[in-house]
Amino acid sequence: TGVPVLNLWPWPAAVMILTAAAPVAVNTLLLTIEMGGNARLAADSVFWTTLISAITVLGWLVLIRAAMG
Protein backbone atom coordinates (compact mmCIF):
# COMPACT_ATOMS: atom_id res chain seq x y z
CA THR A 1 0.00 0.00 0.00
CA GLY A 2 0.98 3.61 -0.07
CA VAL A 3 -0.38 6.99 -0.91
CA PRO A 4 -2.68 6.28 -3.90
CA VAL A 5 -2.52 9.79 -5.32
CA LEU A 6 1.28 9.76 -5.54
CA ASN A 7 1.59 6.02 -6.24
CA LEU A 8 4.57 5.80 -3.85
CA TRP A 9 5.42 3.70 -0.85
CA PRO A 10 4.30 5.30 2.39
CA TRP A 11 7.65 6.66 3.58
CA PRO A 12 8.90 8.27 0.31
CA ALA A 13 5.57 10.02 -0.13
CA ALA A 14 5.65 11.31 3.45
CA VAL A 15 9.22 12.55 3.07
CA MET A 16 8.41 14.37 -0.18
CA ILE A 17 5.31 16.04 1.25
CA LEU A 18 7.03 17.13 4.48
CA THR A 19 10.04 18.45 2.57
CA ALA A 20 7.75 20.56 0.39
CA ALA A 21 6.04 21.93 3.52
CA ALA A 22 9.34 23.08 5.03
CA PRO A 23 10.05 26.80 5.39
CA VAL A 24 12.30 28.89 3.18
CA ALA A 25 15.96 28.35 4.04
CA VAL A 26 18.00 31.04 5.75
CA ASN A 27 20.30 30.80 2.72
CA THR A 28 17.71 32.93 0.93
CA LEU A 29 18.53 35.85 3.20
CA LEU A 30 22.27 35.32 2.90
CA LEU A 31 22.14 35.23 -0.90
CA THR A 32 19.89 38.28 -1.01
CA ILE A 33 22.32 40.28 1.11
CA GLU A 34 25.27 39.10 -0.98
CA MET A 35 23.55 39.99 -4.25
CA GLY A 36 22.32 43.37 -2.98
CA GLY A 37 18.62 42.48 -3.03
CA ASN A 38 15.78 43.41 -0.71
CA ALA A 39 17.07 41.96 2.58
CA ARG A 40 13.99 43.04 4.52
CA LEU A 41 11.69 41.10 2.19
CA ALA A 42 13.95 38.04 2.35
CA ALA A 43 14.09 38.19 6.16
CA ASP A 44 10.30 38.53 6.33
CA SER A 45 9.91 35.54 4.01
CA VAL A 46 12.17 33.39 6.18
CA PHE A 47 10.36 34.47 9.35
CA TRP A 48 6.81 33.96 8.08
CA THR A 49 7.43 30.68 6.28
CA THR A 50 9.13 29.30 9.41
CA LEU A 51 6.22 30.39 11.57
CA ILE A 52 3.55 29.08 9.22
CA SER A 53 5.39 25.81 8.54
CA ALA A 54 4.73 24.72 12.12
CA ILE A 55 1.04 24.66 11.26
CA THR A 56 1.33 23.27 7.73
CA VAL A 57 3.76 20.47 8.65
CA LEU A 58 1.46 19.37 11.47
CA GLY A 59 -1.51 19.45 9.10
CA TRP A 60 0.31 17.38 6.49
CA LEU A 61 1.40 14.85 9.11
CA VAL A 62 -2.22 14.39 10.17
CA LEU A 63 -3.34 13.98 6.54
CA ILE A 64 -0.54 11.53 5.72
CA ARG A 65 -1.33 9.41 8.75
CA ALA A 66 -5.02 9.40 7.81
CA ALA A 67 -4.24 8.41 4.20
CA MET A 68 -1.94 5.59 5.26
CA GLY A 69 -4.45 4.16 7.68
Side-chain angles (χ1 to χ4, degrees):
T1 67
V3 179
V5 174
L6 298 175
N7 196 23
L8 294 172
W9 298 340
W11 66 268
V15 169
M16 287 175 57
I17 291 169
L18 292 176
T19 301
V24 173
V26 174
N27 294 346
T28 303
L29 177 58
L30 298 176
L31 287 172
T32 302
I33 292 170
E34 186 69 27
M35 302 296 288
N38 187 344
R40 172 119 176 133
L41 177 62
D44 285 347
S45 297
V46 171
F47 173 77
W48 286 109
T49 58
T50 301
L51 190 67
I52 293 170
S53 73
I55 298 164
T56 58
V57 169
L58 179 62
W60 278 111
L61 281 172
V62 169
L63 288 173
I64 290 169
R65 289 241 173 192
M68 290 183 187

Coordinates of all heavy atoms in Angstrom, one line a residue:
T1 N 0.8 -1.2 0.0 CA 0.0 0.0 0.0 C 0.9 1.2 0.0 O 2.1 1.2 0.1 CB -0.9 0.0 1.2 OG1 -0.2 0.2 2.4 CG2 -1.8 -1.2 1.3
G2 N 0.3 2.4 -0.1 CA 1.0 3.6 -0.1 C 0.0 4.8 -0.2 O -1.1 4.7 0.2
V3 N 0.5 5.8 -0.7 CA -0.4 7.0 -0.9 C -0.9 6.9 -2.3 O -0.1 7.0 -3.3 CB 0.4 8.3 -0.7 CG1 -0.5 9.5 -1.0 CG2 0.9 8.4 0.7
P4 N -2.2 6.6 -2.6 CA -2.7 6.3 -3.9 C -2.5 7.4 -4.9 O -2.2 7.2 -6.0 CB -4.2 6.0 -3.7 CG -4.4 5.9 -2.2 CD -3.2 6.4 -1.5
V5 N -2.6 8.6 -4.4 CA -2.5 9.8 -5.3 C -1.1 9.9 -5.9 O -0.9 10.2 -7.1 CB -2.9 11.1 -4.6 CG1 -2.7 12.3 -5.4 CG2 -4.3 11.0 -4.1
L6 N -0.1 9.6 -5.1 CA 1.3 9.8 -5.5 C 1.8 8.4 -6.1 O 2.9 8.4 -6.7 CB 2.2 10.3 -4.4 CG 1.8 11.6 -3.9 CD1 2.7 12.0 -2.7 CD2 2.0 12.7 -4.9
N7 N 1.2 7.3 -5.8 CA 1.6 6.0 -6.2 C 3.0 5.7 -5.7 O 3.9 5.3 -6.5 CB 1.5 5.9 -7.8 CG 1.6 4.4 -8.2 OD1 1.3 3.5 -7.4 ND2 2.0 4.2 -9.4
L8 N 3.3 6.0 -4.5 CA 4.6 5.8 -3.9 C 4.4 5.0 -2.6 O 3.3 4.9 -2.0 CB 5.2 7.1 -3.5 CG 5.7 8.0 -4.6 CD1 6.1 9.4 -4.1 CD2 6.8 7.4 -5.4
W9 N 5.5 4.4 -2.1 CA 5.4 3.7 -0.8 C 5.1 4.7 0.2 O 5.3 5.9 0.0 CB 6.8 3.1 -0.5 CG 7.2 2.0 -1.5 CD1 6.4 1.3 -2.3 CD2 8.5 1.6 -1.7 NE1 7.2 0.4 -3.0 CE2 8.5 0.6 -2.7 CE3 9.8 1.9 -1.1 CZ2 9.7 -0.1 -3.1 CZ3 10.9 1.3 -1.5 CH2 10.8 0.3 -2.5
P10 N 4.7 4.3 1.4 CA 4.3 5.3 2.4 C 5.4 6.2 2.8 O 5.2 7.5 2.8 CB 3.9 4.4 3.6 CG 3.5 3.1 3.0 CD 4.3 3.0 1.8
W11 N 6.6 5.8 3.1 CA 7.7 6.7 3.6 C 8.2 7.6 2.5 O 8.5 8.8 2.9 CB 8.7 5.9 4.3 CG 9.6 5.0 3.5 CD1 9.4 3.7 3.3 CD2 10.8 5.3 2.8 NE1 10.3 3.2 2.4 CE2 11.2 4.2 2.1 CE3 11.5 6.5 2.6 CZ2 12.3 4.2 1.3 CZ3 12.6 6.5 1.8 CH2 13.0 5.3 1.2
P12 N 8.4 7.2 1.3 CA 8.9 8.3 0.3 C 7.9 9.4 0.1 O 8.2 10.5 0.0 CB 9.2 7.5 -1.0 CG 9.3 6.1 -0.6 CD 8.5 5.9 0.6
A13 N 6.6 9.0 0.1 CA 5.6 10.0 -0.1 C 5.5 11.0 1.1 O 5.5 12.2 0.9 CB 4.2 9.4 -0.3
A14 N 5.6 10.5 2.3 CA 5.6 11.3 3.5 C 6.8 12.2 3.5 O 6.7 13.4 3.8 CB 5.6 10.4 4.7
V15 N 8.0 11.7 3.1 CA 9.2 12.6 3.1 C 9.1 13.7 2.0 O 9.4 14.8 2.3 CB 10.5 11.7 2.8 CG1 11.7 12.6 2.5 CG2 10.7 10.8 4.0
M16 N 8.6 13.4 0.9 CA 8.4 14.4 -0.2 C 7.4 15.5 0.2 O 7.7 16.6 0.0 CB 7.9 13.7 -1.5 CG 9.0 12.9 -2.2 SD 8.4 12.0 -3.6 CE 7.7 13.4 -4.6
I17 N 6.3 15.1 0.8 CA 5.3 16.0 1.3 C 5.8 16.9 2.4 O 5.7 18.2 2.3 CB 4.0 15.3 1.7 CG1 3.3 14.7 0.4 CG2 3.1 16.3 2.4 CD1 2.2 13.8 0.8
L18 N 6.5 16.3 3.4 CA 7.0 17.1 4.5 C 8.2 18.0 4.0 O 8.3 19.2 4.5 CB 7.5 16.2 5.6 CG 6.3 15.5 6.3 CD1 6.9 14.6 7.4 CD2 5.4 16.5 6.9
T19 N 9.0 17.6 3.1 CA 10.0 18.4 2.6 C 9.5 19.7 1.9 O 10.0 20.8 2.0 CB 10.9 17.7 1.6 OG1 11.5 16.5 2.3 CG2 12.1 18.5 1.1
A20 N 8.4 19.4 1.1 CA 7.7 20.6 0.4 C 7.1 21.5 1.4 O 6.9 22.7 1.0 CB 6.7 20.0 -0.6
A21 N 6.7 21.1 2.5 CA 6.0 21.9 3.5 C 7.0 22.7 4.4 O 6.6 23.5 5.2 CB 5.1 21.1 4.4
A22 N 8.3 22.4 4.2 CA 9.3 23.1 5.0 C 9.4 24.6 4.7 O 9.1 25.0 3.6 CB 10.7 22.4 4.8
P23 N 9.9 25.4 5.6 CA 10.1 26.8 5.4 C 11.2 27.1 4.5 O 12.1 26.3 4.2 CB 10.3 27.4 6.8 CG 10.9 26.3 7.5 CD 10.3 25.0 7.0
V24 N 11.2 28.4 4.0 CA 12.3 28.9 3.2 C 13.6 28.8 4.0 O 13.6 29.1 5.2 CB 12.0 30.4 2.8 CG1 13.2 31.0 2.1 CG2 10.8 30.4 1.9
A25 N 14.7 28.5 3.3 CA 16.0 28.4 4.0 C 16.5 29.7 4.3 O 16.3 30.7 3.6 CB 16.9 27.6 3.2
V26 N 17.3 29.8 5.4 CA 18.0 31.0 5.7 C 19.0 31.5 4.6 O 19.3 32.6 4.5 CB 18.7 30.9 7.1 CG1 19.5 32.1 7.5 CG2 17.7 30.6 8.2
N27 N 19.4 30.5 3.8 CA 20.3 30.8 2.7 C 19.7 31.9 1.8 O 20.4 32.6 1.2 CB 20.6 29.6 1.9 CG 21.4 28.6 2.7 OD1 21.9 28.9 3.7 ND2 21.5 27.3 2.2
T28 N 18.4 31.9 1.7 CA 17.7 32.9 0.9 C 18.1 34.3 1.4 O 18.5 35.2 0.5 CB 16.2 32.8 1.1 OG1 15.8 31.5 0.7 CG2 15.4 33.8 0.2
L29 N 18.1 34.5 2.7 CA 18.5 35.8 3.2 C 20.0 36.1 2.9 O 20.4 37.2 2.5 CB 18.3 35.9 4.7 CG 18.7 37.2 5.4 CD1 18.0 38.4 4.8 CD2 18.4 37.1 6.9
L30 N 20.8 35.1 3.1 CA 22.3 35.3 2.9 C 22.6 35.7 1.4 O 23.4 36.6 1.1 CB 23.0 34.1 3.3 CG 22.9 33.7 4.8 CD1 23.6 32.4 5.1 CD2 23.5 34.8 5.7
L31 N 21.9 34.9 0.5 CA 22.1 35.2 -0.9 C 21.6 36.6 -1.3 O 22.2 37.3 -2.1 CB 21.5 34.1 -1.8 CG 22.2 32.8 -1.8 CD1 21.4 31.7 -2.5 CD2 23.6 32.9 -2.4
T32 N 20.5 37.0 -0.7 CA 19.9 38.3 -1.0 C 20.8 39.4 -0.6 O 21.0 40.4 -1.3 CB 18.5 38.4 -0.3 OG1 17.7 37.4 -0.8 CG2 17.9 39.7 -0.6
I33 N 21.4 39.3 0.6 CA 22.3 40.3 1.1 C 23.5 40.3 0.2 O 24.0 41.4 -0.2 CB 22.7 40.0 2.6 CG1 21.5 40.2 3.5 CG2 23.9 40.9 3.0 CD1 21.7 39.7 4.9
E34 N 24.1 39.2 -0.1 CA 25.3 39.1 -1.0 C 25.0 39.7 -2.4 O 25.9 40.4 -2.9 CB 25.7 37.6 -1.1 CG 27.0 37.4 -1.8 CD 28.2 37.9 -1.1 OE1 28.2 38.0 0.2 OE2 29.2 38.3 -1.7
M35 N 23.8 39.5 -2.9 CA 23.5 40.0 -4.3 C 23.0 41.4 -4.3 O 22.7 42.0 -5.3 CB 22.6 39.0 -4.9 CG 23.0 37.6 -5.1 SD 24.5 37.4 -6.1 CE 23.8 37.7 -7.7
G36 N 22.8 42.0 -3.1 CA 22.3 43.4 -3.0 C 20.8 43.5 -3.2 O 20.3 44.5 -3.6
G37 N 20.1 42.5 -2.9 CA 18.6 42.5 -3.0 C 17.9 43.1 -1.8 O 18.5 43.7 -0.9
N38 N 16.6 42.9 -1.8 CA 15.8 43.4 -0.7 C 15.9 42.5 0.5 O 15.1 41.5 0.7 CB 14.3 43.5 -1.2 CG 13.4 44.2 -0.2 OD1 13.8 44.4 0.9 ND2 12.3 44.6 -0.7
A39 N 16.8 42.8 1.4 CA 17.1 42.0 2.6 C 15.9 41.9 3.5 O 15.6 40.9 4.1 CB 18.3 42.4 3.3
R40 N 15.2 43.0 3.6 CA 14.0 43.0 4.5 C 12.9 42.1 4.0 O 12.4 41.3 4.8 CB 13.4 44.4 4.6 CG 12.1 44.5 5.3 CD 12.2 45.5 6.5 NE 10.9 45.6 7.1 CZ 10.7 45.5 8.4 NH1 11.7 45.3 9.1 NH2 9.5 45.6 8.9
L41 N 12.7 42.0 2.7 CA 11.7 41.1 2.2 C 12.1 39.7 2.4 O 11.4 38.8 2.8 CB 11.5 41.4 0.7 CG 10.5 40.4 0.0 CD1 9.1 40.5 0.5 CD2 10.5 40.8 -1.5
A42 N 13.4 39.4 2.2 CA 13.9 38.0 2.3 C 13.8 37.6 3.8 O 13.5 36.5 4.1 CB 15.4 38.0 1.9
A43 N 14.2 38.5 4.7 CA 14.1 38.2 6.2 C 12.6 37.9 6.6 O 12.4 37.0 7.3 CB 14.7 39.3 7.0
D44 N 11.7 38.7 6.0 CA 10.3 38.5 6.3 C 9.8 37.2 5.8 O 9.1 36.5 6.4 CB 9.5 39.7 5.7 CG 9.6 40.9 6.5 OD1 10.1 40.9 7.7 OD2 9.1 42.0 6.0
S45 N 10.3 36.8 4.6 CA 9.9 35.5 4.0 C 10.4 34.4 4.9 O 9.7 33.4 5.1 CB 10.5 35.4 2.6 OG 10.0 36.4 1.8
V46 N 11.6 34.5 5.3 CA 12.2 33.4 6.2 C 11.4 33.3 7.5 O 11.0 32.2 7.9 CB 13.7 33.6 6.5 CG1 14.2 32.7 7.5 CG2 14.5 33.5 5.2
F47 N 11.1 34.4 8.1 CA 10.4 34.5 9.4 C 9.0 33.9 9.2 O 8.6 33.0 9.9 CB 10.3 35.9 9.9 CG 9.4 36.0 11.1 CD1 9.8 35.6 12.3 CD2 8.1 36.5 11.0 CE1 9.0 35.7 13.5 CE2 7.2 36.6 12.1 CZ 7.7 36.2 13.3
W48 N 8.2 34.4 8.2 CA 6.8 34.0 8.1 C 6.7 32.5 7.6 O 5.8 31.8 8.1 CB 6.0 34.9 7.2 CG 5.7 36.2 7.8 CD1 6.3 37.4 7.6 CD2 4.9 36.4 9.0 NE1 5.8 38.4 8.4 CE2 4.9 37.8 9.3 CE3 4.0 35.6 9.7 CZ2 4.2 38.3 10.3 CZ3 3.3 36.1 10.7 CH2 3.4 37.5 11.0
T49 N 7.5 32.1 6.7 CA 7.4 30.7 6.3 C 7.8 29.7 7.4 O 7.3 28.6 7.5 CB 8.3 30.4 5.0 OG1 9.6 30.7 5.3 CG2 7.8 31.2 3.8
T50 N 8.8 30.1 8.3 CA 9.1 29.3 9.4 C 8.0 29.2 10.4 O 7.6 28.1 10.9 CB 10.4 29.9 10.1 OG1 11.5 29.9 9.2 CG2 10.8 29.0 11.3
L51 N 7.3 30.3 10.7 CA 6.2 30.4 11.6 C 5.0 29.6 11.1 O 4.5 28.7 11.8 CB 5.8 31.8 11.8 CG 4.8 32.1 12.9 CD1 5.4 31.8 14.3 CD2 4.4 33.6 12.9
I52 N 4.7 29.8 9.8 CA 3.5 29.1 9.2 C 3.8 27.6 9.0 O 2.9 26.8 9.1 CB 3.1 29.8 7.9 CG1 2.6 31.2 8.2 CG2 2.1 29.0 7.1 CD1 2.4 32.1 7.0
S53 N 5.1 27.2 8.8 CA 5.4 25.8 8.5 C 5.1 24.9 9.7 O 4.8 23.8 9.6 CB 6.9 25.6 8.1 OG 7.7 25.8 9.3
A54 N 5.1 25.5 10.9 CA 4.7 24.7 12.1 C 3.3 24.2 12.0 O 3.0 23.1 12.4 CB 4.9 25.6 13.4
I55 N 2.4 25.0 11.4 CA 1.0 24.7 11.3 C 0.9 23.7 10.1 O 0.2 22.7 10.1 CB 0.2 25.9 11.1 CG1 0.2 26.8 12.3 CG2 -1.3 25.5 10.8 CD1 -0.3 28.2 12.1
T56 N 1.5 24.1 8.9 CA 1.3 23.3 7.7 C 2.0 21.9 7.8 O 1.4 20.9 7.4 CB 1.9 24.0 6.5 OG1 3.3 24.3 6.7 CG2 1.1 25.3 6.2
V57 N 3.1 21.8 8.5 CA 3.8 20.5 8.7 C 2.9 19.6 9.5 O 2.7 18.4 9.2 CB 5.2 20.6 9.2 CG1 5.7 19.3 9.6 CG2 6.1 21.2 8.2
L58 N 2.4 20.1 10.6 CA 1.5 19.4 11.5 C 0.2 18.9 10.7 O -0.2 17.8 10.8 CB 1.0 20.2 12.7 CG 0.1 19.5 13.6 CD1 0.7 18.3 14.3 CD2 -0.3 20.5 14.7
G59 N -0.3 19.8 9.9 CA -1.5 19.4 9.1 C -1.2 18.3 8.1 O -2.0 17.4 8.0
W60 N -0.1 18.4 7.4 CA 0.3 17.4 6.5 C 0.6 16.1 7.2 O 0.2 15.0 6.7 CB 1.5 17.8 5.7 CG 1.1 18.7 4.5 CD1 1.4 20.0 4.4 CD2 0.4 18.3 3.4 NE1 0.9 20.5 3.2 CE2 0.3 19.4 2.6 CE3 -0.2 17.1 2.9 CZ2 -0.4 19.4 1.4 CZ3 -0.9 17.1 1.7 CH2 -1.0 18.3 1.0
L61 N 1.2 16.1 8.4 CA 1.4 14.9 9.1 C 0.1 14.2 9.4 O 0.0 12.9 9.3 CB 2.2 15.1 10.4 CG 3.7 15.3 10.3 CD1 4.3 15.8 11.6 CD2 4.3 14.1 9.8
V62 N -0.9 14.9 9.9 CA -2.2 14.4 10.2 C -2.8 13.8 8.9 O -3.4 12.7 8.9 CB -3.1 15.5 10.8 CG1 -4.6 15.0 10.8 CG2 -2.6 15.9 12.1
L63 N -2.8 14.5 7.8 CA -3.3 14.0 6.5 C -2.6 12.7 6.0 O -3.2 11.8 5.6 CB -3.3 15.1 5.5 CG -4.3 16.2 5.6 CD1 -4.0 17.3 4.6 CD2 -5.7 15.7 5.5
I64 N -1.3 12.7 6.2 CA -0.5 11.5 5.7 C -0.9 10.3 6.6 O -1.1 9.2 6.0 CB 1.0 11.8 5.8 CG1 1.4 12.8 4.7 CG2 1.8 10.5 5.6 CD1 2.8 13.4 4.9
R65 N -1.0 10.5 7.9 CA -1.3 9.4 8.8 C -2.7 8.9 8.4 O -3.0 7.7 8.4 CB -1.3 9.9 10.2 CG 0.1 10.1 10.7 CD 0.4 9.2 11.8 NE 1.8 9.2 12.2 CZ 2.3 8.3 13.0 NH1 1.5 7.4 13.4 NH2 3.5 8.4 13.3
A66 N -3.7 9.8 8.1 CA -5.0 9.4 7.8 C -5.1 8.6 6.5 O -5.8 7.7 6.3 CB -5.9 10.6 7.8
A67 N -4.3 9.1 5.5 CA -4.2 8.4 4.2 C -3.6 7.0 4.3 O -4.0 6.1 3.5 CB -3.5 9.3 3.2
M68 N -2.6 6.9 5.2 CA -1.9 5.6 5.3 C -2.7 4.6 6.2 O -2.3 3.4 6.2 CB -0.5 5.8 5.8 CG 0.4 6.5 4.8 SD 2.0 6.6 5.4 CE 2.8 7.6 4.2
G69 N -3.7 5.1 6.9 CA -4.4 4.2 7.7 C -3.9 3.9 9.0 O -3.3 3.6 9.7

